[in-house]
Amino acid sequence: MSALWADRPFLVVLATVLAVAALLLISIVVPFGLSAYFANAIGQLAAFAVLALALDLIWGYLGILSLGHGLFFGIGGYVVAMHLLKRSFEVTGKVPDFMQFMGWKDFPFYWAGLGFFSYAIIVAAVGTLLISGVFGYVSFRSRVGGVYFAIITQALVYVAMLLMFRNDTGFGGNNGMTGFTIIFGWPIGQRGVVIAMAAVSVVVLALAMLGCRRLLQSRFGVLMIATRDDEVRLRTLGYDTLLLKLLIWCLSALVAALAGMLYVPQVGIINPGLLSPDLSLEIAVWVAIGGRGHLTGAVIGAVLVNALKFWLSAAAPELWPFILSGLIVLVALVFPNGLIDLASFRLQRPLISRPLASETPELR
C-alpha cells in the first residue's frame, strides 16, 4: 500500500503537468485562450519547479544540502540574458542600457558568439560544469559535508552576487540586464510567444521529472540512496562515492542552470538579486515544505509556495515573510516529511470501535 501511495502522487502531478502543457499549446492557436499574464505565471512556476527538482536530487536522494543552488540558476539566467541582448542588438541595432550607462560602444570580447542560441547553451553548460565540478571535487575530496558544505555553498553564491554588482564586469552591474525584445526572431512580449515560452517550461518540467525518475529507479539511484544512508559502508564495499557524488552534484547544477534559462526570458530582467542567498534558502524551503526525497513533493512545494508568494506580493506583501515562516513551522511539527505526508495520512479509528475481546484477554 505504501508503494502504491508513493507512485500515485507522481503520476497525478505528471499528468497535471502534461495537461497544463497541452492547454498552453492549444491556447497559442485559439483566439480566446489564456491571458499572457496567467500563462507567464505558469511558466515562471514551472521554472521554479525545475529548480526545486535540481535541489531535491542532491539533497533528498544524496543527503547533501546545498544553500547555493541559486548560483547555477543565475549562470543559466545570465547566459540566456546575454544571448537575448546580443541577438536584439543584431536585429534592432539598439545598444543595451548598461552599455550606454558605462559609455561602451562595443560588447566585451567574451560576448562573442552569444548571438547564437546553440553557442549560448554550450557556454552555460561548460560554465556550470566547470564551477560545479571544481567546487564539488575539492569539497568531496576533502570530505566536507553536512552544515559545513551548506555554509560554503552559501558563501560561494554570495561572492558571485558581489561580483555581479560591479558595473565593470560587463554583466549589467547592479542594474542588471533587461530590454529583451527578440527571441528566435519573434517579439518577446507577444501573447503567443509568452504562451509558447510557458508551454516549453512546462514540457521541460515534465521531461525533467521523467528523467530524474528513471535515474532514481536505476542501479545508480540505489547507490545514491545507499550513499545518503551509510556512505562509510558503501566505501568499505569498494564503491567510489566521490565520483558518485560529483556526478550527481554536476547533474543537479546543470538542471538548475536549465531552470535559469527558462526563467529569465519570461520575467524579462536579471540582476544580482537572482544570486542573493535568500533565493537559495527559499529553494531549500520549497523542497522541505513539499517533501524532501520525493520528486513530486519538490514540484508541489515550489508551485504552492511561489503561487502563494505571487498572490501575496500584490495583496499583502508585508505578510509574506510571516506566512512563509508559519508554513515552515507547521510542516516541521505536523508533517516532518513535508506535504507529501498527506498522501499517507490516515485517520485513527476510535477506541470504542475496537472489539471487546481484544481488550479483555482470555483467561487460561
Side-chain angles (χ1 to χ4, degrees):
M1 181 63 70
S2 60
L4 182 62
W5 278 101
D7 289 338
R8 279 185 176 178
F10 177 83
L11 296 177
V12 170
V13 171
L14 182 59
T16 303
V17 168
L18 294 175
V20 171
L23 179 62
L24 288 168
L25 291 172
I26 292 173
S27 298
I28 299 176
V29 296
V30 176
F32 302 100
L34 295 174
S35 67
Y37 175 81
F38 188 65
N40 182 260
I42 292 176
Q44 291 186 44
L45 292 176
F48 285 140
V50 174
L51 181 57
L53 283 177
L55 180 61
D56 193 37
L57 193 64
I58 190 74
W59 184 27
Y61 294 95
L62 203 55
I64 300 173
L65 173 59
S66 168
L67 295 180
H69 253 47
L71 171 63
F72 310 118
F73 185 65
I75 290 175
Y78 266 98
V79 171
V80 77
M82 294 164 71
H83 161 71
L84 292 174
L85 283 182
K86 190 70 179 295
R87 188 60 183 158
S88 297
F89 172 76
E90 292 173 353
V91 173
T92 64
K94 183 181 178 181
V95 177
D97 294 338
F98 80 92
M99 291 180 59
Q100 296 180 19
F101 175 77
M102 295 297 296
W104 296 347
K105 296 182 179 179
D106 296 321
F107 286 93
F109 70 93
Y110 41 85
W111 283 62
L114 285 173
F116 300 97
F117 183 68
S118 56
Y119 178 71
I121 292 180
I122 294 174
V123 170
V126 171
T128 301
L129 287 175
L130 183 62
I131 295 176
S132 63
V134 172
F135 176 80
Y137 179 80
V138 173
S139 299
F140 300 144
R141 180 73 177 178
S142 304
R143 296 187 181 177
V144 177
V147 66
Y148 299 105
F149 184 85
I151 293 173
I152 294 175
T153 55
Q154 182 98 136
L156 186 66
V157 73
Y158 184 69
V159 169
M161 183 188 69
L162 294 180
L163 177 64
M164 290 303 178
F165 265 117
R166 295 179 58 90
N167 292 321
D168 56 355
T169 56
F171 297 108
N174 57 349
N175 293 322
M177 290 184 283
T178 186
F180 314 137
T181 57
I182 301 293
I183 182 168
F184 298 119
W186 294 88
I188 202 168
Q190 192 175 21
R191 174 182 170 273
V193 176
V194 172
I195 296 176
M197 289 191 295
V200 169
S201 298
V202 175
V203 170
V204 170
L205 171 59
L207 293 176
M209 290 183 66
L210 286 174
C212 291
R213 184 77 165 182
R214 291 293 298 272
L215 174 66
L216 295 171
Q217 289 177 340
S218 66
R219 184 171 179 271
F220 206 78
V222 175
L223 292 177
M224 288 171 57
I225 297 176
T227 302
R228 178 194 66 186
D229 294 341
D230 197 338
E231 182 181 356
V232 175
R233 177 175 294 183
L234 203 62
R235 284 203 305 265
T236 304
L237 293 174
Y239 289 94
D240 188 356
T241 58
L242 169 62
L243 180 60
L244 174 69
K245 292 192 293 185
L246 186 61
L247 288 175
I248 299 301
W249 169 254
C250 291
L251 176 61
S252 176
L254 283 176
V255 176
L258 176 61
M261 298 188 76
L262 294 172
Y263 174 75
V264 169
Q266 298 182 89
V267 75
I269 187 174
I270 185 171
N271 55 45
L274 199 67
L275 295 170
S276 170
D278 294 344
L279 175 61
S280 295
L281 285 171
E282 280 193 26
I283 303 169
V285 170
W286 305 342
V287 176
I289 289 178
R292 181 169 67 95
H294 299 274
L295 298 177
T296 305
V299 172
I300 292 174
V303 171
L304 288 182
V305 173
N306 284 286
L308 183 61
K309 182 179 180 180
F310 287 166
W311 176 64
L312 286 177
S313 296
E318 67 280 356
L319 294 179
W320 169 242
F322 300 100
I323 293 178
L324 181 61
S325 302
L327 283 174
I328 297 172
V329 173
L330 177 65
V331 169
L333 294 178
V334 181
F335 303 110
N337 296 319
L339 296 179
I340 201 69
D341 277 352
L342 290 173
S344 57
F345 182 74
R346 298 288 187 275
L347 293 176
Q348 296 293 331
R349 296 177 61 185
L351 293 177
I352 194 173
S353 63
R354 294 179 180 176
L356 293 177
S358 63
E359 299 179 7
T360 54
E362 181 181 355
L363 296 177
R364 293 184 180 180

